[in-house]
Amino acid sequence: MLAPRTTPRRPPTPTERPPAPPGSWHRRSSTCRGRSPSCRRSCPRTCANRSHPDAEPQQFDTVVEGRRSYELGLAAGIPNAYAHLEHCVFSRALTASPDPGVRLVATDPVEKVRELKSRPGRKIWSVGGAQLAAALRPEIDELITKLHPVVAGAGVPLFDGDFRPERFELVSADPHPSGIVHLTYRKR
């Protein structure tokens, strides 16, 4: 029998999360080695340089992310994982960008994304950050996710906030030899 919780459960923060045991996740090279156009269009430049250095970003020309996701890269010594894209980080706490290619944005994310969408160019990619995804939810017309054949038992949600179902339809599934599948959905 399970006892009822007395406090709501929250996902652990990245610093509280225990490290995954070796072999839990697929090595990036097994999914990124030029086997799929979807990888070339969306992987961080650190991976892209190793796997397909001459590949042009075909699908996106701008990436937006929240401060906490961005700080994970900073902690790993990567001040701009997306140097091949226009890179905006939403933060009211950071005051100076550690990389000239990263633009810090302290204004409303929805207003900024609407401004970006009004300009000519390719798609905008939002990486990491359930809070940012929740704030940008009205502007999201497409979801591209990676399905890993691993059960972890806990994790960070894709979207923070209230339960509010929204329908998307599958438009493509791109399987990799590693078992990872890139899934693309469009809002109905």
Side-chain angles (χ1 to χ4, degrees):
M1 181 166 150
L2 297 174
R5 293 179 197 248
T6 55
T7 58
R9 182 174 176 203
R10 65 165 179 75
T13 65
T15 54
E16 297 170 329
R17 213 174 283 131
S24 297
W25 303 106
H26 293 283
R27 299 183 63 132
R28 188 171 294 258
S29 61
S30 69
T31 60
C32 238
R33 195 169 280 135
R35 293 183 177 139
S36 164
S38 63
C39 180
R40 281 195 304 276
R41 294 186 295 251
S42 61
C43 67
R45 184 44 92 199
T46 53
C47 171
N49 284 339
R50 287 192 305 271
S51 305
H52 26 265
D54 300 325
E56 285 294 315
Q58 300 168 7
Q59 189 169 3
F60 309 99
D61 62 5
T62 304
V63 62
V64 297
E65 68 180 311
R67 176 192 53 84
R68 291 192 323 206
S69 295
Y70 177 64
E71 285 180 335
L72 292 173
L74 282 179
I78 305 169
N80 189 356
Y82 306 99
H84 58 301
L85 303 173
E86 181 179 349
H87 191 170
C88 299
V89 174
F90 292 96
S91 174
R92 289 185 176 91
L94 296 175
T95 56
S97 174
D99 185 280
V102 174
R103 184 170 5 139
L104 299 179
V105 181
T107 60
D108 177 47
V110 172
E111 287 178 24
K112 181 62 179 178
V113 167
R114 285 181 180 158
E115 174 204 319
L116 292 168
K117 286 173 85 172
S118 72
R119 300 187 330 208
R122 297 181 185 130
K123 294 179 182 179
I124 301 165
W125 183 26
S126 175
V127 296
Q131 288 179 339
L132 179 60
L136 294 176
R137 192 170 172 173
E139 295 301 311
I140 294 175
D141 0 73
E142 191 173 77
L143 294 174
I144 300 173
T145 63
K146 275 191 250 180
L147 176 65
H148 288 259
V150 175
V151 175
V156 178
L158 288 177
F159 292 88
D160 198 8
D162 296 332
F163 181 75
R164 195 170 36 101
E166 241 176 295
R167 306 262 326 155
F168 283 75
E169 64 181 334
L170 180 67
V171 293
S172 72
D174 185 12
H176 295 265
S178 64
I180 292 175
V181 181
H182 287 177
L183 301 165
T184 302
Y185 297 89
R186 285 207 185 99
K187 191 183 282 187
R188 288 186 176 180

